Short mmCIF file of all heavy atoms in Angstrom, two decimals:
data_model
loop_
_atom_site.label_atom_id
_atom_site.label_comp_id
_atom_site.label_asym_id
_atom_site.label_seq_id
_atom_site.Cartn_x
_atom_site.Cartn_y
_atom_site.Cartn_z
N MET A 279 232.46 -56.08 -66.63
CA MET A 279 232.33 -57.17 -65.71
C MET A 279 232.17 -56.62 -64.31
O MET A 279 232.87 -55.71 -63.89
CB MET A 279 233.58 -58.06 -65.80
CG MET A 279 233.55 -59.21 -64.85
SD MET A 279 234.88 -60.39 -65.10
CE MET A 279 236.22 -59.55 -64.30
N SER A 280 231.28 -57.19 -63.58
CA SER A 280 231.02 -56.77 -62.22
C SER A 280 231.68 -57.76 -61.25
O SER A 280 231.59 -58.97 -61.43
CB SER A 280 229.53 -56.72 -61.96
OG SER A 280 229.26 -56.39 -60.64
N LEU A 281 232.34 -57.24 -60.24
CA LEU A 281 233.03 -58.08 -59.27
C LEU A 281 232.34 -58.00 -57.92
O LEU A 281 231.89 -56.94 -57.50
CB LEU A 281 234.48 -57.63 -59.12
CG LEU A 281 235.36 -57.70 -60.36
CD1 LEU A 281 236.70 -57.06 -60.08
CD2 LEU A 281 235.54 -59.13 -60.80
N SER A 282 232.28 -59.14 -57.25
CA SER A 282 231.77 -59.13 -55.89
C SER A 282 232.94 -59.10 -54.92
O SER A 282 234.09 -59.27 -55.32
CB SER A 282 230.90 -60.38 -55.64
OG SER A 282 231.72 -61.52 -55.47
N GLN A 283 232.67 -58.92 -53.66
CA GLN A 283 233.75 -58.84 -52.68
C GLN A 283 234.40 -60.20 -52.44
O GLN A 283 235.41 -60.29 -51.75
CB GLN A 283 233.24 -58.26 -51.37
CG GLN A 283 232.18 -59.08 -50.68
CD GLN A 283 231.57 -58.36 -49.51
OE1 GLN A 283 230.39 -58.45 -49.31
NE2 GLN A 283 232.34 -57.65 -48.73
N HIS A 284 233.88 -61.24 -53.04
CA HIS A 284 234.43 -62.58 -52.85
C HIS A 284 235.26 -63.04 -54.06
O HIS A 284 235.74 -64.16 -54.08
CB HIS A 284 233.32 -63.59 -52.58
CG HIS A 284 232.49 -63.24 -51.39
ND1 HIS A 284 232.98 -63.32 -50.10
CD2 HIS A 284 231.23 -62.79 -51.29
CE1 HIS A 284 232.04 -62.94 -49.26
NE2 HIS A 284 230.97 -62.61 -49.95
N ASP A 285 235.42 -62.19 -55.05
CA ASP A 285 236.19 -62.55 -56.24
C ASP A 285 237.68 -62.46 -55.98
O ASP A 285 238.14 -61.65 -55.17
CB ASP A 285 235.84 -61.63 -57.41
CG ASP A 285 234.42 -61.85 -57.92
OD1 ASP A 285 233.91 -62.96 -57.75
OD2 ASP A 285 233.85 -60.91 -58.48
N ALA A 286 238.42 -63.29 -56.66
CA ALA A 286 239.88 -63.28 -56.58
C ALA A 286 240.44 -63.86 -57.86
O ALA A 286 239.77 -64.63 -58.55
CB ALA A 286 240.37 -64.08 -55.38
N ILE A 287 241.66 -63.49 -58.19
CA ILE A 287 242.36 -64.07 -59.32
C ILE A 287 243.42 -65.00 -58.76
O ILE A 287 244.27 -64.58 -57.98
CB ILE A 287 242.99 -62.98 -60.20
CG1 ILE A 287 241.89 -62.11 -60.80
CG2 ILE A 287 243.85 -63.60 -61.28
CD1 ILE A 287 242.39 -60.91 -61.55
N ILE A 288 243.37 -66.26 -59.17
CA ILE A 288 244.33 -67.25 -58.69
C ILE A 288 244.97 -67.92 -59.90
O ILE A 288 244.28 -68.48 -60.75
CB ILE A 288 243.64 -68.33 -57.82
CG1 ILE A 288 242.98 -67.67 -56.62
CG2 ILE A 288 244.65 -69.39 -57.39
CD1 ILE A 288 242.13 -68.60 -55.80
N ASN A 289 246.28 -67.83 -59.98
CA ASN A 289 247.03 -68.50 -61.04
C ASN A 289 247.91 -69.55 -60.38
O ASN A 289 248.47 -69.33 -59.32
CB ASN A 289 247.92 -67.50 -61.81
CG ASN A 289 247.09 -66.57 -62.66
OD1 ASN A 289 246.05 -66.94 -63.16
ND2 ASN A 289 247.56 -65.36 -62.83
N THR A 290 248.03 -70.68 -61.04
CA THR A 290 248.88 -71.74 -60.49
C THR A 290 249.99 -72.08 -61.48
O THR A 290 249.82 -71.95 -62.69
CB THR A 290 248.08 -73.02 -60.20
OG1 THR A 290 247.47 -73.48 -61.42
CG2 THR A 290 246.99 -72.75 -59.18
N ALA A 291 251.11 -72.47 -60.96
CA ALA A 291 252.24 -72.91 -61.77
C ALA A 291 252.98 -73.98 -60.98
O ALA A 291 252.77 -74.13 -59.78
CB ALA A 291 253.17 -71.73 -62.09
N SER A 292 253.83 -74.69 -61.65
CA SER A 292 254.57 -75.76 -60.98
C SER A 292 255.95 -75.28 -60.56
O SER A 292 256.38 -74.18 -60.90
CB SER A 292 254.69 -76.98 -61.89
OG SER A 292 255.56 -76.69 -62.96
N ILE A 293 256.66 -76.14 -59.86
CA ILE A 293 258.01 -75.82 -59.40
C ILE A 293 258.94 -75.55 -60.57
O ILE A 293 259.95 -74.86 -60.42
CB ILE A 293 258.54 -76.95 -58.47
CG1 ILE A 293 259.83 -76.52 -57.77
CG2 ILE A 293 258.77 -78.22 -59.26
CD1 ILE A 293 259.66 -75.38 -56.81
N THR A 294 258.62 -76.06 -61.74
CA THR A 294 259.49 -75.83 -62.90
C THR A 294 259.55 -74.36 -63.29
O THR A 294 260.46 -73.94 -64.00
CB THR A 294 259.05 -76.66 -64.13
OG1 THR A 294 257.73 -76.31 -64.49
CG2 THR A 294 259.14 -78.14 -63.85
N ALA A 295 258.61 -73.56 -62.81
CA ALA A 295 258.67 -72.12 -63.05
C ALA A 295 259.90 -71.52 -62.39
O ALA A 295 260.45 -70.52 -62.86
CB ALA A 295 257.42 -71.44 -62.52
N TYR A 296 260.36 -72.12 -61.31
CA TYR A 296 261.50 -71.61 -60.55
C TYR A 296 262.77 -72.43 -60.78
O TYR A 296 263.87 -71.89 -60.81
CB TYR A 296 261.17 -71.62 -59.06
CG TYR A 296 259.94 -70.81 -58.74
CD1 TYR A 296 258.71 -71.43 -58.57
CD2 TYR A 296 259.99 -69.43 -58.64
CE1 TYR A 296 257.56 -70.71 -58.29
CE2 TYR A 296 258.85 -68.69 -58.36
CZ TYR A 296 257.65 -69.33 -58.18
OH TYR A 296 256.53 -68.61 -57.92
N ALA A 297 262.63 -73.75 -60.91
CA ALA A 297 263.79 -74.62 -61.01
C ALA A 297 264.15 -75.00 -62.44
O ALA A 297 265.28 -75.36 -62.71
CB ALA A 297 263.54 -75.89 -60.20
N GLY A 298 263.17 -74.95 -63.33
CA GLY A 298 263.41 -75.37 -64.71
C GLY A 298 263.55 -76.88 -64.80
O GLY A 298 263.63 -77.58 -63.81
N ALA A 299 263.54 -77.37 -66.03
CA ALA A 299 263.72 -78.80 -66.28
C ALA A 299 264.29 -78.94 -67.70
O ALA A 299 263.69 -78.44 -68.64
CB ALA A 299 262.40 -79.54 -66.16
N PRO A 300 265.43 -79.59 -67.85
CA PRO A 300 266.09 -79.65 -69.15
C PRO A 300 265.27 -80.33 -70.24
O PRO A 300 265.45 -80.02 -71.42
CB PRO A 300 267.38 -80.42 -68.88
CG PRO A 300 267.23 -81.04 -67.55
CD PRO A 300 266.19 -80.28 -66.81
N THR A 301 264.36 -81.20 -69.87
CA THR A 301 263.54 -81.87 -70.89
C THR A 301 262.17 -81.22 -71.05
O THR A 301 261.38 -81.68 -71.87
CB THR A 301 263.36 -83.36 -70.53
OG1 THR A 301 262.73 -83.45 -69.25
CG2 THR A 301 264.69 -84.07 -70.51
N LEU A 302 261.90 -80.19 -70.29
CA LEU A 302 260.59 -79.51 -70.34
C LEU A 302 260.76 -78.01 -70.55
O LEU A 302 260.15 -77.20 -69.85
CB LEU A 302 259.82 -79.78 -69.04
CG LEU A 302 259.52 -81.23 -68.69
CD1 LEU A 302 258.97 -81.33 -67.28
CD2 LEU A 302 258.54 -81.82 -69.69
N ILE A 303 261.56 -77.63 -71.52
CA ILE A 303 261.89 -76.22 -71.72
C ILE A 303 260.66 -75.37 -71.98
O ILE A 303 260.46 -74.33 -71.35
CB ILE A 303 262.92 -76.06 -72.85
CG1 ILE A 303 264.23 -76.73 -72.43
CG2 ILE A 303 263.14 -74.60 -73.19
CD1 ILE A 303 265.22 -76.86 -73.56
N ASP A 304 259.80 -75.80 -72.90
CA ASP A 304 258.61 -75.01 -73.22
C ASP A 304 257.64 -74.96 -72.04
O ASP A 304 257.05 -73.93 -71.74
CB ASP A 304 257.92 -75.52 -74.47
CG ASP A 304 257.64 -77.02 -74.46
OD1 ASP A 304 258.19 -77.72 -73.59
OD2 ASP A 304 256.88 -77.48 -75.32
N TYR A 305 257.49 -76.08 -71.33
CA TYR A 305 256.62 -76.13 -70.16
C TYR A 305 257.15 -75.20 -69.06
O TYR A 305 256.38 -74.42 -68.48
CB TYR A 305 256.54 -77.57 -69.65
CG TYR A 305 255.66 -77.75 -68.44
CD1 TYR A 305 254.28 -77.84 -68.57
CD2 TYR A 305 256.21 -77.85 -67.17
CE1 TYR A 305 253.47 -78.01 -67.46
CE2 TYR A 305 255.41 -78.02 -66.06
CZ TYR A 305 254.04 -78.11 -66.21
OH TYR A 305 253.23 -78.27 -65.11
N SER A 306 258.44 -75.27 -68.80
CA SER A 306 259.06 -74.42 -67.77
C SER A 306 258.89 -72.94 -68.11
O SER A 306 258.59 -72.13 -67.23
CB SER A 306 260.54 -74.74 -67.62
OG SER A 306 260.73 -76.07 -67.23
N ALA A 307 259.08 -72.60 -69.38
CA ALA A 307 258.94 -71.20 -69.80
C ALA A 307 257.51 -70.71 -69.63
O ALA A 307 257.28 -69.58 -69.17
CB ALA A 307 259.37 -71.05 -71.25
N SER A 308 256.54 -71.54 -69.96
CA SER A 308 255.14 -71.10 -69.83
C SER A 308 254.75 -70.94 -68.36
O SER A 308 254.01 -70.01 -68.00
CB SER A 308 254.20 -72.08 -70.53
OG SER A 308 254.19 -73.33 -69.89
N LYS A 309 255.26 -71.81 -67.49
CA LYS A 309 254.96 -71.67 -66.06
C LYS A 309 255.66 -70.44 -65.48
O LYS A 309 255.10 -69.75 -64.62
CB LYS A 309 255.37 -72.93 -65.29
CG LYS A 309 254.61 -74.16 -65.72
CD LYS A 309 253.11 -73.95 -65.63
CE LYS A 309 252.34 -75.08 -66.24
NZ LYS A 309 250.90 -74.88 -66.23
N GLY A 310 256.87 -70.15 -65.94
CA GLY A 310 257.56 -68.94 -65.52
C GLY A 310 256.82 -67.69 -65.95
O GLY A 310 256.76 -66.69 -65.23
N ALA A 311 256.21 -67.75 -67.14
CA ALA A 311 255.43 -66.61 -67.63
C ALA A 311 254.20 -66.37 -66.76
O ALA A 311 253.84 -65.23 -66.49
CB ALA A 311 255.01 -66.85 -69.07
N ILE A 312 253.58 -67.43 -66.29
CA ILE A 312 252.41 -67.29 -65.41
C ILE A 312 252.82 -66.61 -64.10
O ILE A 312 252.12 -65.70 -63.62
CB ILE A 312 251.76 -68.66 -65.13
CG1 ILE A 312 251.10 -69.18 -66.40
CG2 ILE A 312 250.76 -68.57 -63.99
CD1 ILE A 312 250.61 -70.60 -66.30
N VAL A 313 253.93 -67.02 -63.54
CA VAL A 313 254.42 -66.41 -62.29
C VAL A 313 254.71 -64.93 -62.50
O VAL A 313 254.29 -64.07 -61.71
CB VAL A 313 255.68 -67.15 -61.77
CG1 VAL A 313 256.31 -66.39 -60.62
CG2 VAL A 313 255.33 -68.57 -61.36
N SER A 314 255.40 -64.60 -63.58
CA SER A 314 255.74 -63.20 -63.87
C SER A 314 254.49 -62.37 -64.13
O SER A 314 254.36 -61.24 -63.65
CB SER A 314 256.67 -63.15 -65.08
OG SER A 314 257.02 -61.83 -65.38
N PHE A 315 253.55 -62.92 -64.88
CA PHE A 315 252.29 -62.23 -65.17
C PHE A 315 251.53 -61.93 -63.88
O PHE A 315 251.05 -60.81 -63.67
CB PHE A 315 251.43 -63.09 -66.09
CG PHE A 315 250.05 -62.57 -66.31
CD1 PHE A 315 249.83 -61.47 -67.13
CD2 PHE A 315 248.97 -63.17 -65.71
CE1 PHE A 315 248.55 -60.99 -67.34
CE2 PHE A 315 247.68 -62.70 -65.91
CZ PHE A 315 247.47 -61.59 -66.73
N THR A 316 251.45 -62.90 -63.00
CA THR A 316 250.73 -62.70 -61.73
C THR A 316 251.39 -61.64 -60.87
O THR A 316 250.71 -60.79 -60.29
CB THR A 316 250.63 -64.04 -60.97
OG1 THR A 316 250.00 -65.01 -61.80
CG2 THR A 316 249.84 -63.87 -59.69
N ARG A 317 252.71 -61.67 -60.80
CA ARG A 317 253.43 -60.64 -60.02
C ARG A 317 253.21 -59.25 -60.59
O ARG A 317 252.99 -58.29 -59.86
CB ARG A 317 254.91 -60.96 -59.98
CG ARG A 317 255.25 -62.12 -59.10
CD ARG A 317 256.73 -62.38 -59.07
NE ARG A 317 257.03 -63.51 -58.21
CZ ARG A 317 258.16 -64.17 -58.24
NH1 ARG A 317 259.12 -63.82 -59.08
NH2 ARG A 317 258.37 -65.18 -57.43
N SER A 318 253.26 -59.14 -61.91
CA SER A 318 253.04 -57.84 -62.55
C SER A 318 251.61 -57.36 -62.35
O SER A 318 251.37 -56.18 -62.07
CB SER A 318 253.36 -57.93 -64.04
OG SER A 318 254.72 -58.22 -64.25
N LEU A 319 250.68 -58.27 -62.52
CA LEU A 319 249.27 -57.90 -62.37
C LEU A 319 248.96 -57.46 -60.95
O LEU A 319 248.17 -56.54 -60.73
CB LEU A 319 248.40 -59.10 -62.75
CG LEU A 319 246.93 -58.86 -62.99
CD1 LEU A 319 246.70 -57.84 -64.09
CD2 LEU A 319 246.24 -60.16 -63.34
N SER A 320 249.61 -58.07 -59.96
CA SER A 320 249.35 -57.72 -58.57
C SER A 320 249.85 -56.32 -58.23
O SER A 320 249.47 -55.76 -57.21
CB SER A 320 250.00 -58.74 -57.62
OG SER A 320 251.41 -58.61 -57.64
N GLN A 321 250.70 -55.75 -59.08
CA GLN A 321 251.22 -54.40 -58.85
C GLN A 321 250.56 -53.36 -59.77
O GLN A 321 250.92 -52.18 -59.73
CB GLN A 321 252.72 -54.39 -59.07
CG GLN A 321 253.45 -55.28 -58.10
CD GLN A 321 254.91 -55.42 -58.43
OE1 GLN A 321 255.48 -54.59 -59.12
NE2 GLN A 321 255.53 -56.47 -57.94
N ASN A 322 249.61 -53.81 -60.57
CA ASN A 322 248.93 -52.92 -61.51
C ASN A 322 248.04 -51.93 -60.76
O ASN A 322 247.20 -52.31 -59.95
CB ASN A 322 248.09 -53.76 -62.48
CG ASN A 322 247.37 -52.92 -63.49
OD1 ASN A 322 246.32 -52.38 -63.18
ND2 ASN A 322 247.92 -52.83 -64.68
N LYS A 323 248.22 -50.64 -61.02
CA LYS A 323 247.51 -49.58 -60.30
C LYS A 323 246.00 -49.72 -60.41
O LYS A 323 245.28 -49.60 -59.42
CB LYS A 323 247.95 -48.22 -60.85
CG LYS A 323 247.28 -47.06 -60.18
CD LYS A 323 247.71 -45.74 -60.79
CE LYS A 323 246.92 -44.60 -60.21
NZ LYS A 323 247.18 -43.34 -60.87
N ASP A 324 245.49 -50.00 -61.60
CA ASP A 324 244.04 -50.13 -61.78
C ASP A 324 243.47 -51.28 -60.97
O ASP A 324 242.40 -51.17 -60.38
CB ASP A 324 243.70 -50.33 -63.26
CG ASP A 324 244.03 -49.12 -64.11
OD1 ASP A 324 244.00 -47.99 -63.57
OD2 ASP A 324 244.33 -49.30 -65.31
N MET A 325 244.19 -52.39 -60.93
CA MET A 325 243.70 -53.54 -60.18
C MET A 325 243.80 -53.29 -58.68
O MET A 325 242.93 -53.71 -57.93
CB MET A 325 244.48 -54.79 -60.56
CG MET A 325 244.30 -55.19 -62.00
SD MET A 325 242.56 -55.51 -62.35
CE MET A 325 242.71 -56.47 -63.81
N LEU A 326 244.86 -52.63 -58.24
CA LEU A 326 245.00 -52.32 -56.82
C LEU A 326 243.86 -51.42 -56.33
O LEU A 326 243.34 -51.60 -55.24
CB LEU A 326 246.34 -51.65 -56.54
CG LEU A 326 247.58 -52.54 -56.67
CD1 LEU A 326 248.84 -51.69 -56.56
CD2 LEU A 326 247.57 -53.61 -55.61
N GLU A 327 243.48 -50.46 -57.16
CA GLU A 327 242.39 -49.56 -56.79
C GLU A 327 241.06 -50.29 -56.65
O GLU A 327 240.21 -49.89 -55.87
CB GLU A 327 242.27 -48.43 -57.83
CG GLU A 327 243.42 -47.44 -57.78
CD GLU A 327 243.37 -46.41 -58.89
OE1 GLU A 327 242.49 -46.50 -59.77
OE2 GLU A 327 244.23 -45.51 -58.88
N LYS A 328 240.90 -51.37 -57.40
CA LYS A 328 239.65 -52.16 -57.34
C LYS A 328 239.68 -53.14 -56.17
O LYS A 328 238.67 -53.75 -55.86
CB LYS A 328 239.43 -52.90 -58.65
CG LYS A 328 239.13 -51.96 -59.80
CD LYS A 328 238.95 -52.72 -61.09
CE LYS A 328 238.72 -51.73 -62.21
NZ LYS A 328 238.58 -52.37 -63.51
N GLY A 329 240.85 -53.30 -55.54
CA GLY A 329 240.97 -54.18 -54.39
C GLY A 329 240.86 -55.65 -54.72
O GLY A 329 240.39 -56.44 -53.91
N ILE A 330 241.30 -56.05 -55.90
CA ILE A 330 241.22 -57.44 -56.31
C ILE A 330 242.42 -58.20 -55.74
O ILE A 330 243.56 -57.86 -56.03
CB ILE A 330 241.20 -57.58 -57.84
CG1 ILE A 330 240.00 -56.82 -58.41
CG2 ILE A 330 241.16 -59.04 -58.25
CD1 ILE A 330 239.99 -56.73 -59.92
N PRO A 331 242.17 -59.24 -54.93
CA PRO A 331 243.29 -59.99 -54.37
C PRO A 331 243.87 -60.97 -55.39
O PRO A 331 243.16 -61.45 -56.27
CB PRO A 331 242.66 -60.75 -53.20
CG PRO A 331 241.22 -60.86 -53.54
CD PRO A 331 240.89 -59.64 -54.38
N TYR A 332 245.14 -61.25 -55.27
CA TYR A 332 245.83 -62.18 -56.16
C TYR A 332 246.51 -63.24 -55.33
O TYR A 332 246.96 -62.99 -54.22
CB TYR A 332 246.90 -61.45 -56.98
CG TYR A 332 246.31 -60.44 -57.91
CD1 TYR A 332 246.04 -59.15 -57.48
CD2 TYR A 332 246.01 -60.79 -59.21
CE1 TYR A 332 245.49 -58.22 -58.33
CE2 TYR A 332 245.45 -59.86 -60.07
CZ TYR A 332 245.20 -58.59 -59.62
OH TYR A 332 244.64 -57.67 -60.46
N ALA A 333 246.59 -64.43 -55.89
CA ALA A 333 247.29 -65.52 -55.20
C ALA A 333 248.04 -66.34 -56.23
O ALA A 333 247.72 -66.37 -57.36
CB ALA A 333 246.31 -66.40 -54.44
#
């Protein structure tokens, strides 16, 4: 895959990723996984070398 200088990776999650919700356990867990994945990916050496921004 070829990237241009305008490419970025953007992941979104809801507040339940941080606060949780007793009736939305599976939803909260999946949103928390997105947050954790994005944080880990933003520290990945290969991605940092390519200069890909994350949000």
Side-chain angles (χ1 to χ4, degrees):
M279 178 172 80
S280 177
L281 299 173
S282 76
Q283 63 189 140
H284 302 290
D285 291 334
I287 296 173
I288 301 173
N289 290 328
T290 60
S292 70
I293 191 65
T294 60
Y296 303 98
T301 59
L302 300 171
I303 295 169
D304 51 346
Y305 180 80
S306 299
S308 67
K309 298 306 171 182
I312 291 172
V313 171
S314 180
F315 173 75
T316 303
R317 287 181 180 163
S318 296
L319 194 58
S320 71
Q321 297 172 21
N322 181 279
K323 180 182 174 187
D324 294 331
M325 297 301 200
L326 290 172
E327 289 174 356
K328 293 179 183 178
I330 301 172
Y332 295 86

